[in-house]
Amino acid sequence: MTQFLDLPPELILECLAHLPLYDLNACLKSGNRVLHAIIVNSVLIWYRLEQERACVEENPYLTGNSVISDRLADLRRREANWLNFTPTSRHTLTLDFRTSGIYDLASDVYLIGDTSDENTSLCTGIRYILTSSTPEGVEWHRVEAGKPIADFGTALVEHDLIAMVTYTPHSDNSEMASVDVLLLKFSTGTPHPQATHPTLHVQDVELHRGWPGISIEIVGDNLALSIVYWNDERRDLDTLHVYDWKAGVLKTTPHAVNNTGITFLREDLIIVPNSLEATLDILHVPAYVIGHPPRLFHSFDLPKLEDGHGILSFQCRGEPNPRPSAQHSGPTTTAKFLPSPQDSLILFSFEVDSWTGITEHMFVLNRTSFISQVAASTAEPTTPWVEWGPQCTRFLDSAPLAMHYITVAAGQRLATIAHDAWRRPAPICVLDFNGITVATQRAQAGPVDGPHATVCVVEADSDGGDEEQMDQLPFAGQYLPFAEPVRSLLPYVETTSKELFDYGAVLLNDENIIGARHGLQFGVGSIGSLEVIHFG
Ligand SMILES: *[C@@H]1O[C@H](CO)[C@@H](O)[C@H](O)[C@H]1NC(C)=O
Ligand SMILES: *[C@@H]1O[C@H](CO)[C@@H](O)[C@H](O)[C@H]1NC(C)=O
Ligand SMILES: *[C@@H]1O[C@H](CO)[C@@H](O)[C@H](O)[C@H]1NC(C)=O
């Protein structure tokens, strides 16, 4: 009988190379010299391990032709470039047209609403550009809806899909408008071939309710759309709709909401922040059509607010979104490595209103540990903040940060810059929440002062038990509207650039930090140019 270890080494390697990290570690620790030697000498295994450590996947459209040792070197260089703030190139993208307010940054693609129509103040097309492309290749493209667009969402990597929510006044009834979702193939701008119906009709609505606020996300076959008519007294149409976008059917009846932010935790679970209850509600998305609203799976309390305070609005985003089908629809990016969807952070920002004014707050959520919390949630309908928040979230002091955009994080990294950097140039900070990066950096026993940046570990918040520690709390000096501590146990590595930047805001995607500069040409607050700082 042949034992596993009697197989030729290349066959053993072939088997080992597919094992999860945990099992490879077990093999290393088994004390068997043959296994140990095969593992430590295999570039293929090292490459796999380092992809898992960095929480990235290779881009199947690009890496196919290069040898493993080169890919491993590329990956190590990428990670070092980000950690030490060592860009490999920079270029500028100019916006020489008047933009409308809607925008997105999906993998390598920056999308923004084209010039709006004078009558509706809405645009009818979306312009986009690939951020990593070289200056010679840079060109704006446009996808056309042919009708006024209220907002849009994308699933470019998974489905080559752009879904535009349109708001069109009826031609035969001047009091009413039609709200629809247009499903287009992004690369061609034509109706999406997998959609049975290219247009999903959502509702007809009286014009006097005003324009809706919208949030739209697509994962697998599920399209989630939440609509809020902010200017309407009645709240009866403020609802979340879940569609099977391929079949063109509504999976559930509408679920009442108080704000627009939504994000997929997993293909079958949607996080719906609830501003009224100050909770994160988890809705279960059914696999099939059901005749009632999605089931409220569980609620997680946010820190209790002080009396007289209320949450005004919520935004949230996880980039990349989960990708259940493991399908790659096409080369929408030239990045060699893409952040792996199951490990991406989810970013939340919200505004709190009180008699003293409005304050902005922001926290990141560790998707992996939150999924475990959801799986372990008890029969109680809600989990109090202290039982889940400190382990799964990190509140960031958003007061001094530029927070115009929710697109500041991709994978496990997040970029920030001071809000007044446009007049007083400031460093860019990159926060990396990867647990292994934190452990590796911690071994340096103190901040590392490199040529381009200082790198340090920001440990878990202390519990603020004694007076001396109070000064070191992250929010010392910032007024917090919470009636309980917002202590967080998630550490991160912070890279602070030595170079100072005069950006109005920073964004972050797979390979780049993107600095936005405002231009006065098209009015106050409009973006004039984007400087792309490429790290790989
Ligand atoms: C705006 O409305 C006016 C009057 O209804 C019409 O003549 C004009 O063509 C409209 N403009 C556009 C860009 O649709
Ligand atoms: C929030 O939603 C609930 C359920 O639909 C509704 O009863 C309530 O009036 C809403 N509150 C606000 C402030 O919109
Ligand atoms: C999240 O938590 C998991 C499990 O505790 C940890 O392995 C990981 O490094 C953390 N960070 C991110 C960004 O997922």
Side-chain angles (χ1 to χ4, degrees), residues 343 345 366-369 412 433-436 490:
D343 301 307
L345 292 172
N366 179 317
R367 188 186 295 268
T368 333
S369 31
Q412 315 206 317
F433 288 84
N434 184 310
I436 296 174
L490 288 189

Side-chain angles (χ1 to χ4, degrees), residues 401-418:
L401 304 178
M403 266 304 294
H404 315 291
Y405 302 106
I406 190 82
T407 47
V408 297
Q412 315 206 317
R413 295 193 178 92
L414 178 150
T416 65
I417 195 164

Side-chain angles (χ1 to χ4, degrees), residues 2-215:
T2 313
Q3 301 278 328
F4 177 60
L5 290 173
D6 297 335
L7 290 169
E10 59 276 20
L11 286 186
I12 297 180
L13 173 59
E14 190 58 33
C15 299
L16 293 177
H18 296 282
L19 286 181
L21 204 57
Y22 180 85
D23 294 333
L24 278 173
N25 266 325
C27 291
L28 277 176
K29 288 192 190 132
S30 71
N32 183 292
R33 271 181 286 139
V34 178
L35 277 183
H36 192 273
I38 290 176
I39 293 171
V40 299
N41 293 322
S42 159
V43 181
L44 180 62
I45 289 181
W46 275 120
Y47 180 52
R48 268 224 28 229
L49 287 178
E50 296 213 11
Q51 282 182 73
E52 256 185 68
R53 283 173 67 127
C55 297
V56 294
E57 295 172 351
E58 56 177 30
N59 182 342
Y61 286 88
L62 283 168
T63 38
N65 294 329
S66 62
V67 297
I68 301 287
S69 55
D70 288 350
R71 297 188 217 172
L72 178 59
D74 284 340
L75 176 57
R76 288 183 174 159
R77 205 174 306 123
R78 171 193 199 264
E79 293 305 302
N81 288 347
W82 277 100
L83 182 68
N84 303 311
F85 205 91
T86 317
T88 55
S89 64
R90 292 181 197 205
H91 60 272
T92 299
L93 311 174
T94 321
L95 284 81
D96 56 359
F97 53 96
R98 187 189 294 271
T99 59
S100 60
I102 50 177
Y103 85 104
D104 198 7
L105 182 61
S107 192
D108 192 34
V109 189
Y110 178 81
L111 307 103
I112 191 154
D114 203 350
T115 312
S116 33
D117 180 290
E118 55 188 282
N119 291 351
T120 61
S121 311
L122 298 178
C123 58
T124 58
I126 305 293
R127 297 248 232 158
Y128 67 91
I129 197 161
L130 300 180
T131 59
S132 291
S133 46
T134 53
E136 307 82 60
V138 166
E139 199 186 321
W140 287 93
H141 305 267
R142 187 180 145 104
V143 227
E144 180 63 47
K147 324 188 238 189
I149 303 170
D151 211 336
F152 67 96
T154 61
L156 303 187
V157 176
E158 193 182 7
H159 300 300
D160 189 12
L161 169 70
I162 180 165
M164 304 189 190
V165 185
T166 60
Y167 179 84
T168 325
H170 284 206
S171 54
D172 55 353
N173 181 347
S174 58
E175 313 275 280
M176 300 291 285
S178 175
V179 178
D180 304 271
V181 182
L182 194 57
L183 302 163
L184 300 178
K185 189 171 161 72
F186 174 70
S187 55
T188 57
T190 52
H192 199 286
Q194 283 177 289
T196 315
H197 308 288
T199 305
L200 306 173
H201 177 59
V202 181
Q203 57 194 198
D204 291 301
V205 59
E206 302 90 339
L207 279 177
H208 66 72
R209 288 183 189 251
W211 288 319
I214 282 167
S215 176

Side-chain angles (χ1 to χ4, degrees), residues 165 179 181 200-204 212-218 221-229 235-245 249-257 259-260 262 264 270 272 283 285-286 292-294:
V165 185
V179 178
V181 182
L200 306 173
H201 177 59
V202 181
Q203 57 194 198
D204 291 301
I214 282 167
S215 176
I216 176 169
E217 294 287 334
I218 306 127
D221 296 351
N222 297 326
L223 181 152
L225 169 70
S226 79
I227 306 183
V228 171
Y229 293 89
R235 306 256 66 119
D236 56 323
L237 288 183
D238 295 358
T239 43
L240 169 71
H241 305 244
V242 181
Y243 290 89
D244 175 334
W245 66 271
V249 294
L250 202 52
K251 277 192 161 178
T252 64
T253 58
H255 168 86
V257 292
N259 50 270
T260 49
I262 45 169
F264 277 89
I270 304 179
V272 184
L283 294 187
V285 182
H292 51 85

Side-chain angles (χ1 to χ4, degrees), residues 419-443:
H419 69 91
D420 59 351
W422 60 276
R423 61 183 158 85
R424 220 154 29 115
I428 289 175
C429 293
V430 179
L431 279 49
D432 186 340
F433 288 84
N434 184 310
I436 296 174
T437 313
V438 171
T440 312
Q441 202 58 34
R442 211 178 258 149

